[in-house]
Amino acid sequence: MATAAVGAGPHPLAYRPGLDAVRAVGIMLVILGHWTHPVFPISNMGSMTFFVLSGYFISGIIWKQQVYVGAPGGWRRRLGIFYLRRLTRTLPPYYVALLVGAALPLATLHEYPLWFIVPVSNQLFYHLGHWGEGVGHYWTMAVDEQFYLLWPVALAVLPKRLRWLSLVLLSGLAFRYAWGYWVAPGAPLVLALMPSCLDMFAAGAMLRHAEQQPWVRRLAHFRWVAVGWLGWAAVWLALYLNNAHELWALLYPTAGCLPAALTLNWALHQPTRPPSENRALELLRWVGQRSYGIYLYHLMLPVFYQRAVYKVFPTAEARHFWLGPLPTAFFLLPLVFGLAWASWVWLEAPLNRWKNKLEYERA
């Protein structure tokens, strides 16, 4: 789950308000997919976009602040600041959510607490072969944390060229194929392993590297976003109709890199308007700023809601109605937005202010 990563110090990364709108749409797609379980993999559209966004932001920070291993000057101190800023932004809200989940209680948290505290829950889910109750989405957070550790080393040895980053992109597809067909045939959750997500992270890095190129700016139109996602959906439909689900699991992250990158590219080049001119955009920005809190709690709440429905309503008909998509959304959307608001006001925003005081030194 990507979070805002605006650099501090003498060379800050510019705030892009359009990306908050992308976060808002992305998190709502994730919620819609996880709460309603449609046939079409709508939640994957949101999760892929967040991974590409992580690659974009983290690569920008590493290059701009020169925090990669072996950078000129005191790179060790800058790298330490980078890790401290990342941990400050992501871990405290996550640990508070874990406490809430443990109080529910969620069985997976009680049975395997250390896998979440570290966090390496993606490894846990891979070995279990299934997602944990109410905490299955934390695999993406674990993958992000592992990406933060890896990427300053990877960019130290990779030339800053699109062709080299494209090789990293292809390595994600190659890893999924090699692991899923040779190393561990039939393993159901190969994507939960961090190397499986390298194509999406690399796509974000490629966008960060090339975003000011004229040919990239010419692609910053919504029609290309629509064409990209329609093409991705067409691939899904063709494979779904042919019952090629394993091939889809292998291809969809790599195929989704292009439409996700086109979406971010379009958002990056939108003009910034005052709030009075576009209230809908301001609402999306509000949701996008709090998307991390929404992400942390959105799968716990359905577990709580289901238990409440089973306790209150004795008949199967009543339970079936109240667990339907509309009643679920009616009750849970205000709750998840309220928890995200509280997380932002009392935890994330104060942590961000403290984090931004940790300035990178000039190289």
Side-chain angles (χ1 to χ4, degrees), residues 95-107 109-110 300 304 307:
Y95 287 141
V96 170
L98 289 184
L99 290 174
V100 173
L104 272 175
L106 297 177
L109 281 179
H110 282 261
M300 291 183 183
F304 168 79
R307 292 177 184 175

Side-chain angles (χ1 to χ4, degrees), residues 68-331:
Y68 54 87
V69 174
W75 64 268
R76 289 180 178 84
R77 175 173 172 76
R78 294 197 299 275
L79 183 60
I81 292 294
F82 168 78
Y83 286 139
L84 183 57
R85 287 168 62 91
R86 288 290 84 212
L87 295 176
T88 300
R89 174 66 184 97
T90 58
L91 288 187
Y94 167 70
Y95 287 141
V96 170
L98 289 184
L99 290 174
V100 173
L104 272 175
L106 297 177
T108 308
L109 281 179
H110 282 261
E111 191 171 355
Y112 306 100
L114 291 180
W115 293 82
F116 294 90
I117 293 172
V118 173
V120 287
S121 59
N122 61 320
Q123 298 283 342
L124 171 66
F125 300 142
Y126 172 78
H127 289 296
L128 293 176
H130 62 82
W131 307 114
E133 179 194 40
V135 291
H137 60 309
Y138 285 162
W139 76 271
T140 60
M141 189 268 184
V143 166
D144 261 331
E145 297 297 323
Q146 293 154 29
F147 168 67
Y148 301 154
L149 291 174
L150 166 73
W151 211 233
V153 180
L155 294 188
V157 298
L158 281 172
K160 194 178 179 183
R161 298 288 187 272
L162 287 180
R163 61 177 177 270
W164 288 98
L165 291 170
S166 66
L167 291 177
V168 179
L169 186 151
L170 292 175
S171 72
L173 175 62
F175 178 87
R176 289 193 299 273
Y177 177 83
W179 198 272
Y181 286 92
W182 295 341
V183 179
L189 302 182
V190 175
L191 188 63
L193 301 176
M194 196 280 293
S196 290
C197 303
L198 282 175
D199 43 5
M200 294 174 281
F201 291 129
M206 294 172 71
L207 176 61
R208 176 63 185 176
H209 176 56
E211 64 178 315
Q212 296 304 325
Q213 296 291 327
W215 64 273
V216 175
R217 296 181 69 89
R218 285 195 293 270
L219 293 173
H221 294 281
F222 185 76
R223 63 176 177 271
W224 296 116
V225 176
V227 167
W229 286 116
L230 287 174
W232 187 79
V235 173
W236 169 82
L237 182 61
L239 296 178
Y240 178 80
L241 292 177
N242 287 281
N243 203 31
H245 303 301
E246 290 186 4
L247 184 58
W248 169 252
L250 176 70
L251 292 177
Y252 87 83
T254 304
C257 287
L258 178 60
L262 288 171
T263 302
L264 298 183
N265 184 49
W266 171 67
L268 287 166
H269 293 98
Q270 295 303 301
T272 301
R273 296 183 175 88
S276 59
E277 294 185 14
N278 197 332
R279 296 293 184 184
L281 181 59
E282 284 306 302
L283 176 61
L284 288 175
R285 290 173 182 171
W286 187 94
V287 174
Q289 277 190 326
R290 292 150 184 83
S291 60
Y292 186 47
I294 297 172
Y295 156 82
L296 288 174
Y297 294 100
H298 83 275
L299 269 189
M300 291 183 183
L301 290 179
V303 176
F304 168 79
Y305 178 68
Q306 184 182 51
R307 292 177 184 175
V309 166
Y310 269 76
K311 188 172 184 178
V312 172
F313 300 100
T315 65
E317 293 80 7
R319 291 171 178 174
H320 179 75
F321 171 79
W322 288 107
L323 292 176
L326 288 179
T328 298
F330 178 79
F331 282 102

